[in-house]
Amino acid sequence: MCIRDRLYAQLSGIRPHKILIAANYAGIQVEHTVTKVNQAKKPEYLARNPNGKLPFIDTPNGPVYESNAILRYIARNSTSNNLYGVDNYENTLVDQWLDWCSFELEPALNDIMYPILGYVEYNQEKTTKGWENLKKALQILDDHLKYNTFVVGHQVTIADIGIVTPLFHAFRLFITCLLYTSDAADDLLCVDLGGRRIIKKK
């Protein structure tokens, strides 16, 4: 099969993982070219993403950068399912939850995970605030999932994928601590990236 899209990204991480999961659901073959962060500063990569960052994807029509933009590109090109929702309203809700993930969930997770991973120095005040914000975000998500099987509509969308991927990475890193400090998190039993349901409840 001819490769139509080529993803340039690190070997692992939230951004490449959510893109590859979406491509798998969409039935789109994406070739993952493992790329180091410092390679993104080279001229041939800056020509595709002038920000000098990863990931970006080469498509038949040209490059696309920013991971959520790539998610939307994949969803719009899916012919096997409605990863972007079934109508304009669901499209908007998908965008809403992707933005919520980017501006509410992920910053809280980063405030907690980055010191653990050694990306930044530990700051107790910032980490404590991160936990507070994470609890609020998880409560919002948990309240929504009490009445909805999926984040948007009645099937998996890129909203589910965009939210579950950072949670999967966070749970893998500090699941014991998370389950003991967040009542909202107690109701999230497992993350199943291989099944049809992304988030399961107890």
Side-chain angles (χ1 to χ4, degrees):
M1 181 182 294
C2 178
I3 304 297
R4 64 186 300 274
D5 299 305
R6 187 177 300 274
L7 175 69
Y8 294 82
Q10 299 98 314
L11 178 62
S12 63
I14 294 170
R15 290 173 178 82
H17 283 170
K18 68 181 180 181
I19 292 166
L20 293 171
I21 292 167
N24 184 56
Y25 268 95
I28 295 174
Q29 187 174 9
V30 173
E31 180 73 18
H32 181 192
T33 299
V34 177
T35 310
K36 295 181 179 180
V37 174
N38 59 358
Q39 289 181 272
K41 305 294 185 181
K42 293 183 177 181
E44 61 267 31
Y45 294 108
L46 288 171
R48 282 108 136 200
N49 183 356
N51 299 292
K53 296 180 179 180
L54 300 170
F56 62 85
I57 191 169
D58 277 342
T59 80
N61 295 313
V64 176
Y65 56 86
E66 299 298 338
S67 59
N68 282 343
I70 298 171
L71 276 184
R72 293 181 177 100
Y73 164 79
I74 289 172
R76 290 186 178 111
N77 281 278
S78 173
T79 58
S80 59
N81 49 49
N82 296 303
L83 280 177
Y84 211 164
V86 299
D87 53 31
N88 286 336
Y89 179 65
E90 286 196 3
N91 296 163
T92 303
L93 290 181
V94 168
D95 288 335
Q96 167 193 284
W97 281 102
L98 287 176
D99 286 349
W100 175 85
C101 184
S102 294
F103 297 111
E104 302 295 335
L105 179 62
E106 289 191 37
L109 289 171
N110 291 342
D111 284 343
I112 301 165
M113 292 195 300
Y114 280 6
I116 298 173
L117 295 169
Y119 295 162
V120 298
E121 290 187 10
Y122 174 74
N123 181 296
Q124 184 176 353
E125 182 179 353
K126 191 169 185 179
T127 300
T128 300
K129 187 66 175 178
W131 278 110
E132 292 173 357
N133 291 335
L134 179 58
K135 291 176 186 178
K136 292 176 184 177
L138 286 175
Q139 189 64 62
I140 289 170
L141 181 61
D142 191 62
D143 289 345
H144 180 70
L145 291 175
K146 285 178 181 177
Y147 306 102
N148 299 276
T149 302
F150 302 99
V151 175
V152 175
H154 302 290
Q155 63 185 46
V156 171
T157 67
I158 53 173
D160 298 88
I161 296 169
I163 290 171
V164 78
T165 311
L167 286 176
F168 171 77
H169 282 262
F171 285 10
R172 186 175 63 176
L173 186 63
F174 53 80
I175 186 168
T176 301
C177 186
L178 184 61
L179 290 176
Y180 276 100
T181 56
S182 172
D183 293 336
D186 280 337
D187 289 331
L188 294 172
L189 179 60
C190 70
V191 178
D192 180 7
L193 299 181
R196 289 298 174 186
R197 290 185 64 185
I198 292 294
I199 299 177
K200 292 185 178 180
K201 305 286 291 214
K202 285 183 179 177

